[in-house]
Amino acid sequence: MAAGQSRGSNQLVVPQANAALDQLKYEVAQELGIAIPQDGYMGNMATRDAGAIGGNITRRLVQIAEQQLSGGNR
């Protein structure tokens, strides 16, 4: 880990986006057929599944940003 950082120290630039990102996580997991534990603890989730969810979230966020930068709504 880099100096001054600890696990779980990621902070959102826009804290109000937390609910939207959480919703996106559940949508992506559902699309991939991956069940997110009801208690919210993902420590027992397979690394492959967690990576698939994170990768798809990133892909979707990049796509949204590209659309906004191009001024188009596809």
Side-chain angles (χ1 to χ4, degrees), residues 31-62:
E31 289 173 12
L32 296 173
I34 299 170
I36 292 184
Q38 293 298 318
D39 62 2
Y41 176 69
M42 294 192 229
N44 295 327
M45 181 178 274
T47 304
R48 178 185 205 107
D49 291 343
I53 293 171
N56 279 279
I57 288 173
T58 302
R59 188 175 298 117
R60 192 171 300 177
L61 290 174
V62 168

PDB file of all heavy atoms in Angstrom, residues 31-62:
ATOM      1  N   GLU A  31     -27.142  -8.577 -13.591  1.00  0.00           N
ATOM      2  CA  GLU A  31     -26.933  -8.859 -15.010  1.00  0.00           C
ATOM      3  C   GLU A  31     -25.963 -10.016 -15.214  1.00  0.00           C
ATOM      4  O   GLU A  31     -26.103 -10.793 -16.156  1.00  0.00           O
ATOM      5  CB  GLU A  31     -26.417  -7.609 -15.728  1.00  0.00           C
ATOM      6  CG  GLU A  31     -27.453  -6.527 -15.890  1.00  0.00           C
ATOM      7  CD  GLU A  31     -26.868  -5.239 -16.451  1.00  0.00           C
ATOM      8  OE1 GLU A  31     -25.705  -5.256 -16.919  1.00  0.00           O
ATOM      9  OE2 GLU A  31     -27.573  -4.228 -16.419  1.00  0.00           O
ATOM     10  N   LEU A  32     -24.960 -10.114 -14.342  1.00  0.00           N
ATOM     11  CA  LEU A  32     -23.956 -11.169 -14.454  1.00  0.00           C
ATOM     12  C   LEU A  32     -24.395 -12.465 -13.779  1.00  0.00           C
ATOM     13  O   LEU A  32     -23.701 -13.475 -13.867  1.00  0.00           O
ATOM     14  CB  LEU A  32     -22.625 -10.697 -13.853  1.00  0.00           C
ATOM     15  CG  LEU A  32     -21.954  -9.518 -14.549  1.00  0.00           C
ATOM     16  CD1 LEU A  32     -20.743  -9.060 -13.744  1.00  0.00           C
ATOM     17  CD2 LEU A  32     -21.561  -9.873 -15.964  1.00  0.00           C
ATOM     18  N   GLY A  33     -25.525 -12.426 -13.087  1.00  0.00           N
ATOM     19  CA  GLY A  33     -26.009 -13.616 -12.384  1.00  0.00           C
ATOM     20  C   GLY A  33     -25.244 -13.924 -11.113  1.00  0.00           C
ATOM     21  O   GLY A  33     -25.157 -15.068 -10.683  1.00  0.00           O
ATOM     22  N   ILE A  34     -24.670 -12.885 -10.498  1.00  0.00           N
ATOM     23  CA  ILE A  34     -23.888 -13.046  -9.271  1.00  0.00           C
ATOM     24  C   ILE A  34     -24.723 -12.530  -8.103  1.00  0.00           C
ATOM     25  O   ILE A  34     -25.235 -11.411  -8.134  1.00  0.00           O
ATOM     26  CB  ILE A  34     -22.563 -12.251  -9.353  1.00  0.00           C
ATOM     27  CG1 ILE A  34     -21.719 -12.769 -10.517  1.00  0.00           C
ATOM     28  CG2 ILE A  34     -21.806 -12.337  -8.033  1.00  0.00           C
ATOM     29  CD1 ILE A  34     -20.519 -11.907 -10.837  1.00  0.00           C
ATOM     30  N   ALA A  35     -24.878 -13.357  -7.077  1.00  0.00           N
ATOM     31  CA  ALA A  35     -25.653 -12.963  -5.904  1.00  0.00           C
ATOM     32  C   ALA A  35     -24.762 -12.213  -4.919  1.00  0.00           C
ATOM     33  O   ALA A  35     -23.698 -12.705  -4.541  1.00  0.00           O
ATOM     34  CB  ALA A  35     -26.245 -14.191  -5.237  1.00  0.00           C
ATOM     35  N   ILE A  36     -25.192 -11.024  -4.535  1.00  0.00           N
ATOM     36  CA  ILE A  36     -24.475 -10.267  -3.511  1.00  0.00           C
ATOM     37  C   ILE A  36     -25.066 -10.672  -2.166  1.00  0.00           C
ATOM     38  O   ILE A  36     -26.284 -10.698  -2.008  1.00  0.00           O
ATOM     39  CB  ILE A  36     -24.607  -8.751  -3.751  1.00  0.00           C
ATOM     40  CG1 ILE A  36     -23.853  -8.387  -5.023  1.00  0.00           C
ATOM     41  CG2 ILE A  36     -24.081  -7.970  -2.557  1.00  0.00           C
ATOM     42  CD1 ILE A  36     -23.801  -6.919  -5.341  1.00  0.00           C
ATOM     43  N   PRO A  37     -24.225 -11.008  -1.183  1.00  0.00           N
ATOM     44  CA  PRO A  37     -24.721 -11.453   0.118  1.00  0.00           C
ATOM     45  C   PRO A  37     -25.697 -10.441   0.736  1.00  0.00           C
ATOM     46  O   PRO A  37     -25.486  -9.237   0.654  1.00  0.00           O
ATOM     47  CB  PRO A  37     -23.450 -11.570   0.970  1.00  0.00           C
ATOM     48  CG  PRO A  37     -22.348 -11.728  -0.024  1.00  0.00           C
ATOM     49  CD  PRO A  37     -22.767 -10.961  -1.235  1.00  0.00           C
ATOM     50  N   GLN A  38     -26.765 -10.954   1.336  1.00  0.00           N
ATOM     51  CA  GLN A  38     -27.792 -10.102   1.927  1.00  0.00           C
ATOM     52  C   GLN A  38     -27.253  -9.215   3.044  1.00  0.00           C
ATOM     53  O   GLN A  38     -27.733  -8.107   3.236  1.00  0.00           O
ATOM     54  CB  GLN A  38     -28.935 -10.967   2.465  1.00  0.00           C
ATOM     55  CG  GLN A  38     -29.720 -11.681   1.388  1.00  0.00           C
ATOM     56  CD  GLN A  38     -30.399 -10.729   0.429  1.00  0.00           C
ATOM     57  OE1 GLN A  38     -30.959  -9.719   0.850  1.00  0.00           O
ATOM     58  NE2 GLN A  38     -30.343 -11.027  -0.850  1.00  0.00           N
ATOM     59  N   ASP A  39     -26.237  -9.690   3.760  1.00  0.00           N
ATOM     60  CA  ASP A  39     -25.694  -8.899   4.867  1.00  0.00           C
ATOM     61  C   ASP A  39     -24.728  -7.810   4.382  1.00  0.00           C
ATOM     62  O   ASP A  39     -24.262  -7.002   5.169  1.00  0.00           O
ATOM     63  CB  ASP A  39     -25.016  -9.793   5.897  1.00  0.00           C
ATOM     64  CG  ASP A  39     -23.823 -10.556   5.345  1.00  0.00           C
ATOM     65  OD1 ASP A  39     -23.470 -10.387   4.167  1.00  0.00           O
ATOM     66  OD2 ASP A  39     -23.238 -11.351   6.119  1.00  0.00           O
ATOM     67  N   GLY A  40     -24.447  -7.788   3.075  1.00  0.00           N
ATOM     68  CA  GLY A  40     -23.579  -6.755   2.518  1.00  0.00           C
ATOM     69  C   GLY A  40     -22.092  -7.053   2.640  1.00  0.00           C
ATOM     70  O   GLY A  40     -21.267  -6.364   2.048  1.00  0.00           O
ATOM     71  N   TYR A  41     -21.726  -8.078   3.401  1.00  0.00           N
ATOM     72  CA  TYR A  41     -20.312  -8.429   3.564  1.00  0.00           C
ATOM     73  C   TYR A  41     -19.858  -9.240   2.356  1.00  0.00           C
ATOM     74  O   TYR A  41     -20.407 -10.292   2.059  1.00  0.00           O
ATOM     75  CB  TYR A  41     -20.097  -9.240   4.845  1.00  0.00           C
ATOM     76  CG  TYR A  41     -18.668  -9.701   5.009  1.00  0.00           C
ATOM     77  CD1 TYR A  41     -17.657  -8.784   5.277  1.00  0.00           C
ATOM     78  CD2 TYR A  41     -18.326 -11.036   4.896  1.00  0.00           C
ATOM     79  CE1 TYR A  41     -16.349  -9.198   5.425  1.00  0.00           C
ATOM     80  CE2 TYR A  41     -17.021 -11.461   5.046  1.00  0.00           C
ATOM     81  CZ  TYR A  41     -16.036 -10.538   5.313  1.00  0.00           C
ATOM     82  OH  TYR A  41     -14.739 -10.945   5.458  1.00  0.00           O
ATOM     83  N   MET A  42     -18.878  -8.714   1.641  1.00  0.00           N
ATOM     84  CA  MET A  42     -18.428  -9.383   0.425  1.00  0.00           C
ATOM     85  C   MET A  42     -17.090 -10.078   0.596  1.00  0.00           C
ATOM     86  O   MET A  42     -16.476 -10.488  -0.379  1.00  0.00           O
ATOM     87  CB  MET A  42     -18.369  -8.370  -0.708  1.00  0.00           C
ATOM     88  CG  MET A  42     -19.730  -7.858  -1.073  1.00  0.00           C
ATOM     89  SD  MET A  42     -19.680  -6.958  -2.582  1.00  0.00           S
ATOM     90  CE  MET A  42     -20.548  -5.504  -2.111  1.00  0.00           C
ATOM     91  N   GLY A  43     -16.639 -10.225   1.830  1.00  0.00           N
ATOM     92  CA  GLY A  43     -15.361 -10.857   2.095  1.00  0.00           C
ATOM     93  C   GLY A  43     -15.304 -12.321   1.703  1.00  0.00           C
ATOM     94  O   GLY A  43     -14.223 -12.860   1.462  1.00  0.00           O
ATOM     95  N   ASN A  44     -16.446 -12.973   1.641  1.00  0.00           N
ATOM     96  CA  ASN A  44     -16.477 -14.386   1.272  1.00  0.00           C
ATOM     97  C   ASN A  44     -16.796 -14.589  -0.209  1.00  0.00           C
ATOM     98  O   ASN A  44     -16.895 -15.726  -0.660  1.00  0.00           O
ATOM     99  CB  ASN A  44     -17.509 -15.136   2.126  1.00  0.00           C
ATOM    100  CG  ASN A  44     -17.114 -15.154   3.584  1.00  0.00           C
ATOM    101  OD1 ASN A  44     -15.937 -15.197   3.914  1.00  0.00           O
ATOM    102  ND2 ASN A  44     -18.088 -15.093   4.466  1.00  0.00           N
ATOM    103  N   MET A  45     -16.959 -13.496  -0.945  1.00  0.00           N
ATOM    104  CA  MET A  45     -17.269 -13.588  -2.364  1.00  0.00           C
ATOM    105  C   MET A  45     -16.010 -13.993  -3.135  1.00  0.00           C
ATOM    106  O   MET A  45     -14.895 -13.585  -2.784  1.00  0.00           O
ATOM    107  CB  MET A  45     -17.769 -12.224  -2.861  1.00  0.00           C
ATOM    108  CG  MET A  45     -18.145 -12.193  -4.311  1.00  0.00           C
ATOM    109  SD  MET A  45     -18.764 -10.584  -4.802  1.00  0.00           S
ATOM    110  CE  MET A  45     -20.464 -10.781  -4.350  1.00  0.00           C
ATOM    111  N   ALA A  46     -16.198 -14.796  -4.165  1.00  0.00           N
ATOM    112  CA  ALA A  46     -15.067 -15.227  -4.981  1.00  0.00           C
ATOM    113  C   ALA A  46     -14.412 -14.016  -5.647  1.00  0.00           C
ATOM    114  O   ALA A  46     -15.096 -13.098  -6.108  1.00  0.00           O
ATOM    115  CB  ALA A  46     -15.532 -16.213  -6.041  1.00  0.00           C
ATOM    116  N   THR A  47     -13.097 -14.012  -5.677  1.00  0.00           N
ATOM    117  CA  THR A  47     -12.350 -12.922  -6.285  1.00  0.00           C
ATOM    118  C   THR A  47     -12.763 -12.723  -7.734  1.00  0.00           C
ATOM    119  O   THR A  47     -12.897 -11.589  -8.204  1.00  0.00           O
ATOM    120  CB  THR A  47     -10.837 -13.208  -6.207  1.00  0.00           C
ATOM    121  OG1 THR A  47     -10.481 -13.422  -4.839  1.00  0.00           O
ATOM    122  CG2 THR A  47     -10.024 -12.075  -6.781  1.00  0.00           C
ATOM    123  N   ARG A  48     -13.000 -13.807  -8.429  1.00  0.00           N
ATOM    124  CA  ARG A  48     -13.414 -13.741  -9.833  1.00  0.00           C
ATOM    125  C   ARG A  48     -14.734 -12.972  -9.974  1.00  0.00           C
ATOM    126  O   ARG A  48     -14.886 -12.143 -10.867  1.00  0.00           O
ATOM    127  CB  ARG A  48     -13.553 -15.150 -10.388  1.00  0.00           C
ATOM    128  CG  ARG A  48     -14.016 -15.206 -11.803  1.00  0.00           C
ATOM    129  CD  ARG A  48     -14.234 -16.668 -12.236  1.00  0.00           C
ATOM    130  NE  ARG A  48     -14.107 -16.788 -13.651  1.00  0.00           N
ATOM    131  CZ  ARG A  48     -13.103 -17.338 -14.291  1.00  0.00           C
ATOM    132  NH1 ARG A  48     -12.095 -17.851 -13.612  1.00  0.00           N
ATOM    133  NH2 ARG A  48     -13.069 -17.391 -15.586  1.00  0.00           N
ATOM    134  N   ASP A  49     -15.688 -13.236  -9.080  1.00  0.00           N
ATOM    135  CA  ASP A  49     -16.980 -12.559  -9.127  1.00  0.00           C
ATOM    136  C   ASP A  49     -16.854 -11.076  -8.781  1.00  0.00           C
ATOM    137  O   ASP A  49     -17.428 -10.223  -9.450  1.00  0.00           O
ATOM    138  CB  ASP A  49     -17.979 -13.231  -8.173  1.00  0.00           C
ATOM    139  CG  ASP A  49     -18.392 -14.616  -8.640  1.00  0.00           C
ATOM    140  OD1 ASP A  49     -18.178 -14.949  -9.833  1.00  0.00           O
ATOM    141  OD2 ASP A  49     -18.922 -15.381  -7.815  1.00  0.00           O
ATOM    142  N   ALA A  50     -16.099 -10.785  -7.733  1.00  0.00           N
ATOM    143  CA  ALA A  50     -15.898  -9.389  -7.339  1.00  0.00           C
ATOM    144  C   ALA A  50     -15.211  -8.609  -8.454  1.00  0.00           C
ATOM    145  O   ALA A  50     -15.572  -7.466  -8.743  1.00  0.00           O
ATOM    146  CB  ALA A  50     -15.078  -9.316  -6.050  1.00  0.00           C
ATOM    147  N   GLY A  51     -14.232  -9.230  -9.093  1.00  0.00           N
ATOM    148  CA  GLY A  51     -13.536  -8.578 -10.204  1.00  0.00           C
ATOM    149  C   GLY A  51     -14.433  -8.351 -11.402  1.00  0.00           C
ATOM    150  O   GLY A  51     -14.351  -7.318 -12.072  1.00  0.00           O
ATOM    151  N   ALA A  52     -15.318  -9.306 -11.666  1.00  0.00           N
ATOM    152  CA  ALA A  52     -16.255  -9.160 -12.779  1.00  0.00           C
ATOM    153  C   ALA A  52     -17.203  -7.998 -12.524  1.00  0.00           C
ATOM    154  O   ALA A  52     -17.486  -7.199 -13.429  1.00  0.00           O
ATOM    155  CB  ALA A  52     -17.046 -10.447 -12.989  1.00  0.00           C
ATOM    156  N   ILE A  53     -17.684  -7.877 -11.299  1.00  0.00           N
ATOM    157  CA  ILE A  53     -18.578  -6.770 -10.955  1.00  0.00           C
ATOM    158  C   ILE A  53     -17.838  -5.441 -11.086  1.00  0.00           C
ATOM    159  O   ILE A  53     -18.316  -4.513 -11.742  1.00  0.00           O
ATOM    160  CB  ILE A  53     -19.144  -6.945  -9.525  1.00  0.00           C
ATOM    161  CG1 ILE A  53     -20.075  -8.152  -9.481  1.00  0.00           C
ATOM    162  CG2 ILE A  53     -19.884  -5.681  -9.084  1.00  0.00           C
ATOM    163  CD1 ILE A  53     -20.516  -8.543  -8.081  1.00  0.00           C
ATOM    164  N   GLY A  54     -16.655  -5.354 -10.494  1.00  0.00           N
ATOM    165  CA  GLY A  54     -15.874  -4.113 -10.554  1.00  0.00           C
ATOM    166  C   GLY A  54     -15.498  -3.727 -11.969  1.00  0.00           C
ATOM    167  O   GLY A  54     -15.579  -2.555 -12.348  1.00  0.00           O
ATOM    168  N   GLY A  55     -15.105  -4.699 -12.770  1.00  0.00           N
ATOM    169  CA  GLY A  55     -14.728  -4.421 -14.153  1.00  0.00           C
ATOM    170  C   GLY A  55     -15.893  -3.911 -14.972  1.00  0.00           C
ATOM    171  O   GLY A  55     -15.746  -2.970 -15.770  1.00  0.00           O
ATOM    172  N   ASN A  56     -17.061  -4.494 -14.771  1.00  0.00           N
ATOM    173  CA  ASN A  56     -18.239  -4.058 -15.503  1.00  0.00           C
ATOM    174  C   ASN A  56     -18.731  -2.693 -15.037  1.00  0.00           C
ATOM    175  O   ASN A  56     -19.217  -1.904 -15.839  1.00  0.00           O
ATOM    176  CB  ASN A  56     -19.360  -5.101 -15.407  1.00  0.00           C
ATOM    177  CG  ASN A  56     -19.153  -6.221 -16.393  1.00  0.00           C
ATOM    178  OD1 ASN A  56     -19.474  -6.095 -17.564  1.00  0.00           O
ATOM    179  ND2 ASN A  56     -18.573  -7.315 -15.939  1.00  0.00           N
ATOM    180  N   ILE A  57     -18.598  -2.403 -13.754  1.00  0.00           N
ATOM    181  CA  ILE A  57     -18.946  -1.072 -13.255  1.00  0.00           C
ATOM    182  C   ILE A  57     -18.037  -0.041 -13.907  1.00  0.00           C
ATOM    183  O   ILE A  57     -18.498   0.989 -14.396  1.00  0.00           O
ATOM    184  CB  ILE A  57     -18.831  -1.004 -11.718  1.00  0.00           C
ATOM    185  CG1 ILE A  57     -19.965  -1.789 -11.071  1.00  0.00           C
ATOM    186  CG2 ILE A  57     -18.841   0.442 -11.231  1.00  0.00           C
ATOM    187  CD1 ILE A  57     -19.836  -1.925  -9.566  1.00  0.00           C
ATOM    188  N   THR A  58     -16.742  -0.314 -13.934  1.00  0.00           N
ATOM    189  CA  THR A  58     -15.786   0.612 -14.549  1.00  0.00           C
ATOM    190  C   THR A  58     -16.101   0.817 -16.016  1.00  0.00           C
ATOM    191  O   THR A  58     -16.110   1.952 -16.506  1.00  0.00           O
ATOM    192  CB  THR A  58     -14.349   0.091 -14.373  1.00  0.00           C
ATOM    193  OG1 THR A  58     -14.085  -0.073 -12.977  1.00  0.00           O
ATOM    194  CG2 THR A  58     -13.340   1.036 -14.988  1.00  0.00           C
ATOM    195  N   ARG A  59     -16.365  -0.265 -16.724  1.00  0.00           N
ATOM    196  CA  ARG A  59     -16.702  -0.182 -18.146  1.00  0.00           C
ATOM    197  C   ARG A  59     -17.922   0.710 -18.364  1.00  0.00           C
ATOM    198  O   ARG A  59     -17.954   1.569 -19.239  1.00  0.00           O
ATOM    199  CB  ARG A  59     -16.956  -1.589 -18.694  1.00  0.00           C
ATOM    200  CG  ARG A  59     -17.123  -1.658 -20.181  1.00  0.00           C
ATOM    201  CD  ARG A  59     -17.241  -3.097 -20.678  1.00  0.00           C
ATOM    202  NE  ARG A  59     -16.019  -3.851 -20.375  1.00  0.00           N
ATOM    203  CZ  ARG A  59     -15.956  -4.913 -19.563  1.00  0.00           C
ATOM    204  NH1 ARG A  59     -17.036  -5.375 -18.980  1.00  0.00           N
ATOM    205  NH2 ARG A  59     -14.821  -5.530 -19.335  1.00  0.00           N
ATOM    206  N   ARG A  60     -18.948   0.526 -17.522  1.00  0.00           N
ATOM    207  CA  ARG A  60     -20.170   1.310 -17.664  1.00  0.00           C
ATOM    208  C   ARG A  60     -19.932   2.783 -17.320  1.00  0.00           C
ATOM    209  O   ARG A  60     -20.449   3.675 -17.995  1.00  0.00           O
ATOM    210  CB  ARG A  60     -21.269   0.741 -16.783  1.00  0.00           C
ATOM    211  CG  ARG A  60     -22.608   1.357 -17.126  1.00  0.00           C
ATOM    212  CD  ARG A  60     -23.766   0.708 -16.454  1.00  0.00           C
ATOM    213  NE  ARG A  60     -23.885  -0.695 -16.797  1.00  0.00           N
ATOM    214  CZ  ARG A  60     -24.808  -1.489 -16.282  1.00  0.00           C
ATOM    215  NH1 ARG A  60     -25.680  -1.008 -15.422  1.00  0.00           N
ATOM    216  NH2 ARG A  60     -24.870  -2.748 -16.621  1.00  0.00           N
ATOM    217  N   LEU A  61     -19.142   3.060 -16.283  1.00  0.00           N
ATOM    218  CA  LEU A  61     -18.855   4.447 -15.920  1.00  0.00           C
ATOM    219  C   LEU A  61     -18.063   5.157 -17.013  1.00  0.00           C
ATOM    220  O   LEU A  61     -18.309   6.333 -17.304  1.00  0.00           O
ATOM    221  CB  LEU A  61     -18.101   4.511 -14.587  1.00  0.00           C
ATOM    222  CG  LEU A  61     -18.913   4.129 -13.349  1.00  0.00           C
ATOM    223  CD1 LEU A  61     -18.014   4.080 -12.119  1.00  0.00           C
ATOM    224  CD2 LEU A  61     -20.070   5.081 -13.136  1.00  0.00           C
ATOM    225  N   VAL A  62     -17.130   4.454 -17.635  1.00  0.00           N
ATOM    226  CA  VAL A  62     -16.366   5.041 -18.748  1.00  0.00           C
ATOM    227  C   VAL A  62     -17.302   5.332 -19.911  1.00  0.00           C
ATOM    228  O   VAL A  62     -17.225   6.389 -20.537  1.00  0.00           O
ATOM    229  CB  VAL A  62     -15.199   4.115 -19.170  1.00  0.00           C
ATOM    230  CG1 VAL A  62     -14.598   4.564 -20.479  1.00  0.00           C
ATOM    231  CG2 VAL A  62     -14.140   4.065 -18.080  1.00  0.00           C
TER     232      VAL A  62
END
